[in-house]
Amino acid sequence: MDGLIHSIETFGTVDGPGTRYVVFVKGCPMRCKYCHNPDTWDATGATKMTPDEILKDYDGYKEFYKKGGITVTGGEPLVQIDFLIELFEKAKEKEIHTCLDTSGIMFRRDNPETLAKYERLMKSTDLIMLDIKHIDPKEHLELTKQPCDNIFDFLKFLDEQEKEIWIRHVVVPGITLIPEYLKRLGTFLAHFKHIKALDVLPYHDMGKTKYEQMGIDYVLKDVEPATKADAIEARNTIIEAMKEERKKMQMEHNLD
């Protein structure tokens, strides 16, 4: 089966544990205002590659990946779930660590056939890096042009499947870099047992040039980038809210 590929990075260091082979796929229903890869939104200009072709290329660099593996990101990898299943199952046959970087937007629990595909995919997926765009449903829709219900349900599904989860959250001044929303996010995340890491990333505007080249209006052009200090403080706020909620949950459990 062919995958629609945007590009491949052979020395990824921020896309999961260790040094990784990172596959960027094409296609995404989200339209995040801060997206720095708008050229991955549709299939235009995609390179077709089979899982075997990707893994053959991986083998050429595998000495670099002894503590890493393969990560599929995008775009939105779950748009191409059949391709992803085949790639990850073949990767696991080679004992390659697999990581899925996703927004979770494609998840549907109410379709048995679709749910079965997700359950099959989880069997060959070692780590999920889940992007939480916004904790507030109305603000999420404004930020991404998509609802958040499926994303939050996907997180619940991952927890049920006992998969290792890393949460990613971009803090944008005036949008997500707001104490109320950060605390709400922490309170929400506290209820999931298998979250192993939280990466809070400062918003940057390095995609501006790409938008100009593609003739797309960059709606956040007047928003100043967040700083590393902003991200650190935001992460501390989220973690503190998680601790407070878990303490409250433990007290309620002890009273039962």
Side-chain angles (χ1 to χ4, degrees):
M1 174 177 292
D2 287 334
L4 301 178
I5 310 303
H6 172 271
S7 58
I8 289 173
E9 183 180 352
T10 57
F11 201 78
T13 58
V14 294
D15 301 280
T19 303
R20 307 189 69 83
Y21 183 94
V22 186
V23 180
F24 294 83
V25 298
K26 293 275 260 177
C28 184
M30 304 277 267
R31 292 295 180 268
C32 303
K33 291 181 178 179
Y34 55 71
C35 178
H36 56 276
N37 288 322
D39 48 335
T40 65
W41 288 348
D42 60 38
T44 303
T47 299
K48 292 183 178 181
M49 293 183 72
T50 66
D52 288 334
E53 288 172 332
I54 288 173
L55 292 173
K56 182 179 179 180
D57 190 51
Y58 174 98
D59 284 343
Y61 306 93
K62 64 183 179 181
E63 293 304 313
F64 294 107
Y65 309 135
K66 290 180 179 179
K67 294 184 180 179
I70 186 169
T71 296
V72 181
T73 182
E76 173 48 65
L78 293 174
V79 169
Q80 304 183 53
I81 191 169
D82 294 321
F83 164 76
L84 190 60
I85 289 171
E86 183 179 339
L87 174 60
F88 275 14
E89 288 182 346
K90 289 187 173 183
K92 293 314 296 179
E93 289 174 4
K94 293 174 171 285
E95 299 184 344
I96 298 171
H97 182 277
T98 56
C99 174
L100 169 63
D101 182 7
T102 177
S103 71
I105 190 64
M106 302 300 294
F107 181 69
R108 298 292 185 277
R109 195 189 290 267
D110 56 359
N111 184 313
E113 183 179 348
T114 301
L115 184 60
K117 289 184 179 182
Y118 278 90
E119 291 172 341
R120 179 177 172 182
L121 176 62
M122 290 303 104
K123 292 177 182 178
S124 59
T125 305
D126 293 308
L127 170 65
I128 297 90
M129 299 174 67
L130 180 64
D131 297 317
I132 300 292
K133 309 295 185 179
H134 208 299
I135 190 61
D136 184 84
K138 183 178 179 181
E139 294 295 330
H140 188 282
L141 187 61
E142 172 65 22
L143 178 63
T144 71
K145 305 304 180 187
Q146 293 287 342
C148 59
D149 309 61
N150 293 338
I151 296 169
F152 294 165
D153 194 32
F154 184 56
L155 177 54
K156 182 180 179 182
F157 169 77
L158 295 176
D159 213 44
E160 294 166 352
Q161 294 285 310
E162 300 183 345
K163 303 305 298 184
E164 182 176 352
I165 307 161
W166 289 11
I167 298 294
R168 278 182 162 180
H169 184 61
V170 177
V171 286
V172 186
I175 298 178
T176 54
L177 190 56
I178 295 175
E180 174 197 347
Y181 293 141
L182 297 171
K183 291 175 184 177
R184 282 171 57 183
L185 178 59
T187 299
F188 173 70
L189 296 178
H191 292 263
F192 300 93
K193 297 179 180 179
H194 296 90
I195 293 175
K196 304 301 182 183
L198 170 65
D199 292 330
V200 177
L201 310 172
Y203 158 73
H204 64 73
D205 59 2
M206 289 186 287
K208 274 185 178 181
T209 302
K210 191 177 291 186
Y211 278 76
E212 291 173 2
Q213 292 171 346
M214 295 179 66
I216 304 173
D217 181 38
Y218 189 74
V219 296
L220 299 185
K221 54 181 170 289
D222 296 325
V223 177
E224 288 294 321
T227 66
K228 289 184 179 180
D230 289 332
I232 292 170
E233 185 176 351
R235 185 179 187 278
N236 289 338
T237 299
I238 296 168
I239 293 293
E240 190 59 35
M242 289 178 70
K243 289 179 179 178
E244 290 179 7
E245 181 67 7
R246 285 177 173 168
K247 186 184 298 183
K248 178 181 174 182
M249 291 162 59
Q250 185 61 49
M251 291 176 63
E252 291 174 349
H253 175 74
N254 291 340
L255 291 174
D256 289 341

